């Protein structure tokens, strides 16, 4: 894992001192709220419905035990004993007092963490595949690239006041686990026919009120050209992007309005000038960064205990069926810890759970933890022989829910339980859907299914990319939930289609249930997923299940 | 015809704690039940001006639709504002922690 250099440490500590003074001046009355607000947002501090919320960056979702423990300590000392992991691989604390935030930031700095650029119209926390460095299908670990981008973009003066926020994601394999095409810039590390490493570059993806999939800007960008090339994209966006209307300010609109060819030719023209300016320092830096992401020393050991437990313990077996993924080393596995226990808040972990995860990572996981955009926690390198022990430890901490990729593994944004921008709640909808299907004991029968819920059009819950997406809105003074169908956030990305009129708060769970029963009837084999069935059949039979009375009226 | 004025209460977030606060007879209160209910646009606007001048206590004051319960206590009518009087629905945190209900 990357450790801060003296430069990083000084930078963060100076920012923290500045912010401490800014908070003091705000409280004394020397700064107005209008003056203070942009300063607190630059440091990740929002004012929400019930309290301040501090959003802390977890660069490319990577943590170790020490960092996770520090988050637990912050939760206990300054918050309410828990934290909320988000779809941008960040963590949010929902209850800090303004006067405590400078102390929290100092505590974070002790473990090389900060909240800088987690808000505002700048380049945000760079996200990456949460299986980075571990996935069996990986060409190259995307985290060194993500770290290079983090260093390049942090406090980059030219890009501190963009027209709108700007999000990067990086993956290193063909399987897209980071929703690449929903990002302003998506980078896929690939190997070309000649065996050279480079990037496939996507631009102009984004969700929100105008969802768009990123378009391919470059089929193959040689690895060494990365920074001058992305800097050129940012420069073109900074010059062309609209600032007259915040709903038209994201680069997806710039690409849409100008056309991908026009953007490409402008970027290439800019790139021809930029390239010389970098002179190889960026590549030397990248080489240093790469060294700090060297894979752990994998060991070979018998995995008999693992296989024996799988045969003798069906509950353990079920956990290993859903929560383990293929590791590049045959004796290892990637273990996903679900933060979606049925009826709990998606993405929340108590301080005790954070400490339990830190402990298992240190003891059995080469001290590595990842946060996924799906709001779960990953132990990327667990030797199979250790899985029974890890499972038992997780079980004790309430962290052994066997539901990864299933209907209760729901993404939900904070919605109107916390977020000041929300138009409806999302958390209780997720809780109720998970509980309902658990009671019906149907979740394993249903198989792979992604439900994603947002509490407003901003789409932090990625509802457009859900096989079933749910968007909470306000309609005539009450909460109303709109369903989208057929979304997909992977390498076969698609944006879900709106199914029809919204459902009331107390109708939405039953509507989802009707949809699922229809799918179970319609699928041509138990292994045809909801998404596959939807793609084969189109929306009509699913809409008929959602709106039975409409169909009767039409007949 | 001017639109008829619907009663309002005045609310904001507390600068240091961040929680919802309400404009009451003698300064800011922590509960909507203590809020003043404004029946006229003039009185509501005047209170909002005064509240705006108290930036050392209150952040982002605004008027919210409200009504009187049978027992005469004011309460906000929009569901967002109702949530602000209580706290989130997933944990007993926020104002509902203190409430003796
Ligand atoms: S989608 Fe809307 S409600 Fe949900 S977190 Fe984002 S801004 Fe808030």
């Amino acid at each position: 894992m990357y450790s801060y250099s003296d430069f990083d440490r000084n930078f963060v500590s100076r920012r923290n001192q500045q912010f401490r003074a800014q908070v003091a001046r705000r409280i004394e009355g020397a700064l107005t709220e209008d003056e203070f607000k942009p300063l607190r947002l630059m440091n990740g501090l929002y004012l929400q419905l019930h309290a301040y919320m501090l959003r802390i960056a977890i660069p490319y979702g990577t943590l170790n035990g020490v960092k996770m423990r520090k988050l637990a300590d912050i939760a206990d000392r300054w918050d309410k004993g828990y934290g909320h992991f988000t779809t941008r691989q960040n963590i949010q604390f929902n209850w800090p007092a303004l006067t405590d935030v400078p102390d929290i930031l100092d505590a974070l700095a002790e473990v090389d963490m900060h909240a800088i650029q987690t808000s505002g119209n700048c380049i945000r926390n760079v996200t990456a595949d949460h299986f980075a460095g571990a996935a069996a299908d990986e060409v190259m670990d995307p985290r060194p690239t993500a770290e290079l981008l983090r260093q390049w973009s942090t406090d980059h003066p030219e890009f501190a006041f963009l027209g709108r926020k700007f999000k990067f994601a990086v993956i290193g394999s063909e399987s897209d686990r980071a929703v690449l095409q929903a990002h302003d810039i998506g980078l896929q590390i690939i190997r070309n026919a000649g065996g050279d490493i480079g990037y496939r570059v996507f631009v102009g993806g984004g969700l929100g009120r105008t969802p768009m999939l990123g378009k391919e800007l470059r089929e193959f960008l040689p690895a060494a050209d990365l920074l001058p090339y992305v800097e050129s994209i940012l420069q073109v966006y900074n010059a062309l992007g609209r600032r007259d209307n915040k709903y038209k300010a994201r680069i997806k609109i710039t690409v849409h309005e100008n056309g991908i060819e026009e953007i490409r030719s402008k970027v290439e023209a800019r790139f021809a000038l930029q390239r010389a300016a970098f002179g190889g320092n960026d590549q030397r830096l990248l080489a240093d960064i790469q060294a700090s992401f060297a894979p752990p020393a994998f060991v070979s050991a018998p995995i008999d205990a693992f296989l024996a437990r799988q045969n003798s313990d069906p509950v353990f077996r079920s956990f290993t069926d859903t929560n383990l993924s293929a590791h590049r080393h045959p004796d290892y596995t990637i273990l996903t810890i679900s933060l979606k226990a049925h009826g709990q808040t998606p993405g929340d972990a108590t301080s005790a759970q954070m400490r339990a995860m830190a402990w298992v990572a240190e003891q059995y996981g080469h001290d590595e933890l990842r946060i996924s955009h799906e709001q779960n926690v990953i132990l990327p390198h667990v030797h199979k022989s250790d899985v029974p022990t890890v499972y038992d430890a997780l079980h004790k901490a309430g962290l052994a829910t066997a539901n990864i990729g299933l209907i209760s593994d729901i993404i939900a944004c904070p919605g109107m339980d916390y977020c000041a921008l929300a138009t409806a709640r999302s958390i209780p909808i997720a809780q109720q859907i998970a509980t309902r299907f658990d009671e019906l004991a149907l979740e394993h029968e249903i198989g792979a299914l992604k439900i994603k819920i947002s509490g407003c059009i901003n789409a932090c819950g990625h509802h457009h990319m859900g096989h079933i997406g749910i968007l909470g809105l306000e309609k005539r003074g009450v909460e109303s939930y709109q369903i989208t169908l057929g979304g997909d956030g992977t390498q076969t990305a698609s944006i879900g289609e709106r199914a029809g009129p919204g459902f009331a708060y107390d109708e939405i769970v039953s509507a989802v249930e009707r949809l699922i029963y229809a799918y179970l009837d319609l699928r041509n084999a138990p292994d045809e997923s909801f998404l596959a069935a939807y793609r084969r059949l189109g929306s009509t039979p699913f809409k008929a299940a959602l709106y039975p009375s409409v169909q009767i009226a039409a007949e | 015809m001017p639109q008829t004025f619907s009663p309002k209460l005045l609310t904001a977030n507390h600068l240091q704690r961040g929680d919802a606060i309400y404009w009451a007879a003698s300064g800011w209160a922590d509960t909507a039940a203590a809020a003043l209910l404004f029946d006229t646009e003039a009185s509501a606007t005047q209170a909002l001006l005064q509240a705006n001048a108290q930036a050392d206590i209150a952040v982002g004051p605004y008027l919210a639709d409200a009504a009187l319960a049978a027992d005469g206590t004011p309460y906000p009518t929009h569901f967002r504002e109702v949530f602000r009087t209580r706290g989130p629905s997933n944990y007993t945190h926020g104002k509902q922690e203190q409430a003796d209900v």
Side-chain angles (χ1 to χ4, degrees), chain A residues 26-27 33 47-52 80 82 95-99 345 348 416-418 420 422-425 427-428 431 474 477-479, chain B residues 13-20 55-60 62 77-81 83-91 93-95 97:
Chain A
R26 174 69 183 96
I27 288 168
E33 184 60 20
L47 184 51
Q48 300 282 43
L49 289 179
H50 312 295
Y52 285 95
K80 290 189 189 287
Y82 75 101
W95 302 97
L98 174 61
T99 37
T345 304
D348 279 11
M416 206 182 271
D417 286 305
Y418 298 92
T423 41
R425 286 172 292 175
I427 292 169
Q431 292 173 309
E474 172 181 350
V478 294
E479 291 161 293
Chain B
N13 287 72
H14 189 271
L15 172 64
Q16 295 194 26
R17 299 190 308 262
D19 63 331
D56 56 335
I57 303 173
V59 182
Y62 60 94
T77 49
H78 192 280
F79 62 90
R80 178 185 195 270
E81 292 306 319
F83 296 155
R84 285 180 77 244
T85 67
R86 290 200 301 248
S89 49
N90 58 336
Y91 302 113
H93 288 157
K95 298 204 180 290
E97 272 178 300

Side-chain angles (χ1 to χ4, degrees), chain A residues 413-415 419 421-422 454-456 458-461:
Chain A
C413 79
C419 178
L421 301 172
S454 304
C456 83
N458 289 327
C460 304

